Amino acid sequence: MTRTFQTAHHAGKLTTLAQAVRRLVHDGDTLYAAGFTHLIPFAAGHEIIRQGRRDLTLARATPDLIYDQLIAAGCARKVIFSYAGNPGVGSLHALRRAIEAGHIEWEEYSHFGLITRLAAGAAGLPFLPMNPTGADDLPRANPHYRSVTDPYSGRQVTVLPALKPDVAILHVQRADPQGNAHLWGIVGEQKEAAFAAERVILTAEEIVPPEVIRSDPNRTLIPGLVVDAVCHVPHCAHPSYAQGYYDRDNDFYLGWDAISRDPKGLAAWLEEWVFDVCDRQAYWEKLGPQVHARLALAPAWSEPVNYGRCSAAAEDREARS
Amino acid sequence: MTRTFQTAHHAGKLTTLAQAVRRLVHDGDTLYAAGFTHLIPFAAGHEIIRQGRRDLTLARATPDLIYDQLIAAGCARKVIFSYAGNPGVGSLHALRRAIEAGHIEWEEYSHFGLITRLAAGAAGLPFLPMNPTGADDLPRANPHYRSVTDPYSGRQVTVLPALKPDVAILHVQRADPQGNAHLWGIVGEQKEAAFAAERVILTAEEIVPPEVIRSDPNRTLIPGLVVDAVCHVPHCAHPSYAQGYYDRDNDFYLGWDAISRDPKGLAAWLEEWVFDVCDRQAYWEKLGPQVHARLALAPAWSEPVNYGRCSAAAEDREARS
Amino acid sequence: MSAPACTPAELMVVNAARLLREGDVVLVGVGLPNLACNLARRLHAPGLVMVYEAGVIGAQPERLPLSIGDPCLAVGALSICSMYELFAHYLQRGLISVGFVGGAQIDRYGNLNATVIGDYRRPKVRLPGSGGSMEIAAWADRVYMMAPHRRRRFPARCDFITSAGFLDGRSSRRARRLRGGGPAAVVTDLALLEPDAQGELTLVALHPGVTIEQVQAQTGWPLQVAEDLRTTQPPTREELETLRALDPQGVYLG
Amino acid sequence: MSAPACTPAELMVVNAARLLREGDVVLVGVGLPNLACNLARRLHAPGLVMVYEAGVIGAQPERLPLSIGDPCLAVGALSICSMYELFAHYLQRGLISVGFVGGAQIDRYGNLNATVIGDYRRPKVRLPGSGGSMEIAAWADRVYMMAPHRRRRFPARCDFITSAGFLDGRSSRRARRLRGGGPAAVVTDLALLEPDAQGELTLVALHPGVTIEQVQAQTGWPLQVAEDLRTTQPPTREELETLRALDPQGVYLG
């Protein structure tokens, strides 16, 4: 029940993504590679494929292309999800084939059901309630859905048990070497995944000095306390995106439909874009300047806020310096 | 069960604090004037005293001086709390006298117990669980503490029922005229109070154009959707504080101990600082330049973040403008 | 003057947009519902608030989002919250006035199937699954659906109920004490269906040129027809021009 | 060379600081615990992380905070979260290694009373109440308490148990399956008490110049004495100088 964590004074948790995956992702683990459409850690998925992990249980609200690829590469024993589609496009064909052929186990929720499980895990609770939805076919098919009697009204509420992944992988925009991380844009279930998991790998577009993080503590959704490894991986999320850094590659998502429909095409794609590529930098370069240009963004800066500093302390500081 | 809300296109919800209190705070209401040490809406408390509200149920994790004053002024029938002290100083003497003399009802929780009630209210749930703490005297004294059996392990968990205040009052640093509000620094239970309450009065240090809010949507903890009235009340929080705007008046908190020990002194204080003062501006001026100087802050700005704008859309925008 | 020609998708989107009201807080899906909301915002409901289940409130997308988590939804939004907060604080708490849901089957009582065709454990066709539609259908004040009117999409009973319409009729939904009002309308490319007093989807309006028989032929149960059966107004030029500007490449409008 | 003179508060804070370890994540209260943490950070535990129940993680206060919600805690902190998240994600989840709790009474089994003296419904003295101490005492890995050693503060049994020590002994706490380890030490101005194998607070160290009899006289139960009873090291000059610089006006140190 006790969770181990690194001390904050630790010299830093910076490592390569390859080393982090080697050390922290094991065969048979339950993995939560988080991010609702945004900040999906594709580079980490590819590294897991390259290292040949097996029998993973892949949990994500939206398996997205990252789990379609892991399933196609034979890394998964089971998938836990609430929406197994290519958003706005159609099916995740590798996942769908695996389910229809009975080649993979699956456990299914609604979005709120799955996120409730993660929230319970993050909160250290055995379960959390949600109001009943009237749609009983899924709760009947999945024995994790249960009921308790509300002791105040006597009515039934639905409950779901905590999900505590063995390892979560989270991509963020900027983090310090201890893993204190600023995220913005769509935050999805990132925070809950970070607190629910036993181990956390953090990948970041930028590694920044702690002073940047400390200049805006309300932006720190993930504290270094829960992070085991910090990896500097620019463009980690492609074809997903990092708000303010590069756009979502919608063309890629549209094009994936044809690739994943055809097992041979998919295998060739994995060969070319995962196995024949040593790391994310090589992958990004391989995408080429046209793709880079298509995904480039114009700036849109937030209005800063003032945290203030009490004058006496500020004077004191100045006197000392 | 359905909550009414204003439309976002509403011409704006700006009004004076006096009008907002007149319209939205009624005798007998359960009030949650939120803010954990930070952003406590003292100006609203004073307005409620001036308007002579009666039989209020005052709910707050930390009643703080704001409820000590409301109780001393005879506005309250009951207090709901989890820590009834003057933080770092000692007792809230008006509240303590009222309880010891049996002049007021009270309902007591631990911090997490009370915040759990508010979180359940915000989430539209009938209750939320918390793990048992082993300290049973308070749960025995307060029948709202109940147990349910965890259907997964068979063990007991503690549950607490939703708290849905009739009205919440929230002070924020900046808001647009619709009540979309940016908060930073300690955020306490502000968000949960805003979503749990049936009606919300928002007071703000600054009213800003919607573009400022929209430049950083991750900073918007309270959406205008749940806000009924927006009041521009600079220095609303004194002797509490607004991070980045003015410091906490610790001297005032220390000095309150002597004032509130003596019922006559307290009555005189209310006369001088509440009844004889027409509004917050007059109160702030009455505090005088020495206090203003003592509470002034040196700037400490956050590092801004880039939300980015897809190049095509940005070009499109420029072409049109 | 004849009405301008339009595609079936355009016909559905225009009719769905007309159902949206000023001030509605709409949980938007991608594709056609997104277009309907944006159309309504530009015409009769400028104060409509678009909410996305990814946790975005008051989005003002500069381009057509492909997914409900597109970066253009975050830029310039009023607020962004976590997914848990979106479902708990907005939907379960009761702040969402309109939800759109979609799937492969809609049945007589407005129940929806987005999960499987065939047996759940041995599916003939595995569909993406609920996403947020289980909760949206339960807790939004009004629920709208859009679907091409084909017999296989409108069976008497769904193979699997992903999200609740009126279940076996209004009384069965009422017994479940769900906060939302359930399906308010189904917009197809042939007609508008609305639940009657028993919660059965009933033909209330035909699109111009469509007959009752055509609709019945594409519906898997004996369709009740409203006494005051209407014909929908054809899309106006303004509606179509505004709509087409939202999807200039015709990704969704065909 | 004799040890420098110090106040009882200084003696307690220095001894409490010595119990803190590098890397500890400490849920700090105001007053003496705050001083103990800051002292430890400046001496042997620079990586100690200070967490405040208001929702502040990794505070670096530039001045002595009067309350646990002081603005100086927010400026330059590592992270700020809501109160719900602080209690749920940090404390209940199990990220807090050390908690400080305080109150009016500490009993034989390390239970704490911060609620009332006398009857709950007709209190002789109404105290502020639990705040977060009910949860801190249950879920932090190690719990420390500081209190002046007076007989009325150390009764055999608390009038009201605000937060759990070992209840009626270690086995009774164990039966409740609380995640935290319970009281690890009580630091007073006379001595250090630690729980024995049964969870009973036992005299393990005397401050210099204090006798067992003096401690027993101020303790409301027959005090067990550890076989290896120690004498604490007097505060060093470095400890005292560093400490006094933290509270130059002597607000808490007297």
Side-chain angles (χ1 to χ4, degrees), chain C residues 104-123:
Chain C
Q105 297 180 325
I106 299 167
D107 73 16
R108 185 171 191 154
Y109 291 109
N111 303 304
L112 185 91
N113 177 12
T115 305
V116 286
I117 304 297
D119 178 66
Y120 179 71
R121 281 288 150 200
R122 296 170 194 282

Side-chain angles (χ1 to χ4, degrees), chain B residues 165-182:
Chain B
D166 296 304
V167 57
I169 306 180
L170 305 159
H171 187 56
V172 303
Q173 281 115 326
R174 64 190 185 198
D176 72 17
Q178 298 298 337
N180 297 292
H182 279 180

Side-chain angles (χ1 to χ4, degrees), chain A residues 17 20-21 24-25 167-170 199-203 227-229 231:
Chain A
L17 182 54
V21 166
L24 297 164
V25 183
V167 57
I169 306 180
L170 305 159
R199 302 186 291 279
V200 171
I201 297 174
L202 194 80
T203 58
V227 173
D228 296 282
C231 312

Side-chain angles (χ1 to χ4, degrees), chain B residues 5 9 24 55 61 63 71 82 89 91 119-120 124 148 191 205 208 229-230 302-303 312 318-319:
Chain B
F5 46 82
H9 194 58
L24 297 165
D55 296 324
I71 289 166
S82 45
V89 179
S91 289
V148 305
K191 184 177 58 186
E205 290 293 326
V208 296
V230 180
S302 67
E303 284 280 328
E318 250 162 59

Side-chain angles (χ1 to χ4, degrees), chain A residues 1 112 123-131 143-153 155 157 159-162 173-174 182-187 191 211-212 215-216 218-219 243-245 247 293-312 314, chain B residues 1 112 123-131 143-153 155 157 159-162 173-174 182-187 191 211-212 215-216 218-219 243-245 247 293-312 314:
Chain A
M1 210 143 140
F112 193 42
L125 286 166
F127 67 86
L128 272 173
M130 61 178 273
N131 289 338
H144 285 303
Y145 278 91
R146 303 210 180 151
S147 284
V148 304
T149 303
D150 168 7
Y152 306 98
S153 72
R155 293 190 205 150
V157 300
V159 295
L160 289 152
Q173 281 115 326
R174 63 190 185 198
H182 280 181
L183 282 81
W184 60 96
I186 289 168
V187 293
K191 184 178 58 186
E211 296 73 47
V212 172
S215 81
D216 197 357
N218 289 97
R219 185 92 68 196
Q243 190 83 40
Y245 290 75
D247 203 352
R294 183 160 51 77
L295 303 178
L297 302 173
W301 292 96
S302 67
E303 284 281 327
V305 303
N306 183 9
Y307 278 83
R309 174 166 275 139
C310 84
S311 327
Chain B
M1 210 141 139
F112 193 41
L125 286 166
F127 66 86
L128 273 173
M130 60 179 273
N131 290 339
H144 284 304
Y145 277 92
R146 303 210 180 149
S147 283
V148 305
T149 303
D150 168 7
Y152 306 97
S153 71
R155 294 189 205 150
V157 299
V159 294
L160 289 151
Q173 281 115 326
R174 64 190 185 198
H182 279 180
L183 281 82
W184 59 96
I186 289 168
V187 293
K191 184 177 58 186
E211 295 74 47
V212 172
S215 81
D216 197 358
N218 289 97
R219 185 92 68 195
Q243 190 84 39
Y245 290 75
D247 203 350
R294 183 159 51 78
L295 303 179
L297 302 174
W301 292 96
S302 67
E303 284 280 328
V305 302
N306 184 9
Y307 278 83
R309 175 166 274 139
C310 84
S311 326

Side-chain angles (χ1 to χ4, degrees), chain C residues 199-221:
Chain C
E200 180 176 324
L201 291 180
T202 302
L203 180 61
V204 297
L206 295 164
H207 293 316
V210 177
T211 66
I212 295 177
E213 292 65 34
Q214 284 177 294
V215 179
Q216 177 62 74
Q218 299 293 350
T219 305
W221 67 89

Side-chain angles (χ1 to χ4, degrees), chain B residues 96-109:
Chain B
R96 183 174 157 183
R97 271 194 304 276
I99 287 183
E100 287 177 0
H103 290 162
I104 196 168
E105 293 174 53
W106 80 96
E107 196 179 296
E108 182 174 6
Y109 299 88

Side-chain angles (χ1 to χ4, degrees), chain D residues 39-52:
Chain D
L39 180 59
R41 260 162 51 86
R42 277 163 181 75
L43 298 175
H44 61 280
L48 182 151
V49 180
M50 297 202 296
V51 175
Y52 290 82

